[in-house]
Structure formats: C-alpha cells, structure tokens
Amino acid sequence: MRPDSGSYTVMVTVDAAPDRMPELVEHASLGLERFPEYAGFLGGALHVDEAGTRLVQYLQWASAEQYRACVEDPAWDDLPSTRRFLDAVASGHARMDVRILLVLKVSR
C-alpha cells in the first residue's frame, strides 16, 4: 500500500489511576508546548478519557526519525515533569504505550 502523506502519527497512551493523572497530563501538556521547537513537528492533541484513567497524546511528525530525535534530546531530562512521568512508569503507577504509525490515507 502506498502512503498518501509520508508523515507519521505518534500515539502515546498512558493508563494510570485518576489521582496520578494530573502529573502525567502536566508533562504531556508541556510536550505539546515544546514540540514546535523541534524540526518535523506538525501538530498534536492531548486527550483524557471521562474516567480520568487514560491519557492519549496524538502527535503528527514529518518523520519517525525527527520524533525520535525530539524525545531523545537530553534537555527533557532537566525538566521535573519528565522525572515524575518516568518515575510513575518505572514504578508501575502508570503504563505507557507508544506507537509510531505511517499515515497511509488522509481524508479532508
């Protein structure tokens, strides 16, 4: 199948208890503010389900490599929200799944 766009969607899903969600949302929101500083970022959105237990971050990037370069930037390590986010995942208080998807078809 030939892709229409050549762009990529990154779907980040995080599951956690409602009392943990504010700190996770804080970090994801900060990402949406900072991502435009990186080459290849096209846009994104942040979603939380009604129960407050699932966060979904939908991101559009020109390439998977540009997304990876962004998240591998050591500057993220200096942010307190990054440490809280990663600690929540490492401790099992949050589960994270990241999928990088090639956009095959676009409807406007």
Side-chain angles (χ1 to χ4, degrees):
M1 186 171 225
R2 191 178 142 281
D4 275 357
S5 69
S7 63
Y8 289 78
T9 298
V10 178
M11 299 294 294
V12 180
T13 304
V14 181
D15 293 298
D19 63 319
R20 290 285 181 155
M21 200 53 68
E23 66 188 351
L24 303 172
V25 168
E26 174 193 1
H27 181 66
S29 295
L30 180 61
L32 283 179
E33 293 171 14
R34 292 184 61 152
F35 291 151
E37 300 170 13
Y38 292 87
F41 180 70
L42 303 175
L46 183 60
H47 313 268
V48 178
D49 72 346
E50 290 180 342
T53 59
R54 176 168 280 181
L55 174 151
V56 176
Q57 193 175 47
Y58 171 92
L59 308 169
Q60 295 286 169
W61 289 85
S63 75
E65 293 76 21
Q66 289 170 314
Y67 164 73
R68 287 185 188 103
C70 168
V71 298
E72 291 171 3
D73 181 350
W76 291 104
D77 296 339
D78 295 333
L79 301 175
S81 68
T82 301
R83 180 55 35 217
R84 289 191 300 271
F85 186 91
L86 294 176
D87 286 348
V89 172
S91 68
H93 288 106
R95 287 188 328 271
M96 179 174 65
D97 181 59
V98 178
R99 306 286 172 115
I100 301 173
L101 310 162
L102 175 63
V103 177
L104 295 179
K105 188 78 176 164
V106 176
S107 176
R108 301 207 193 288

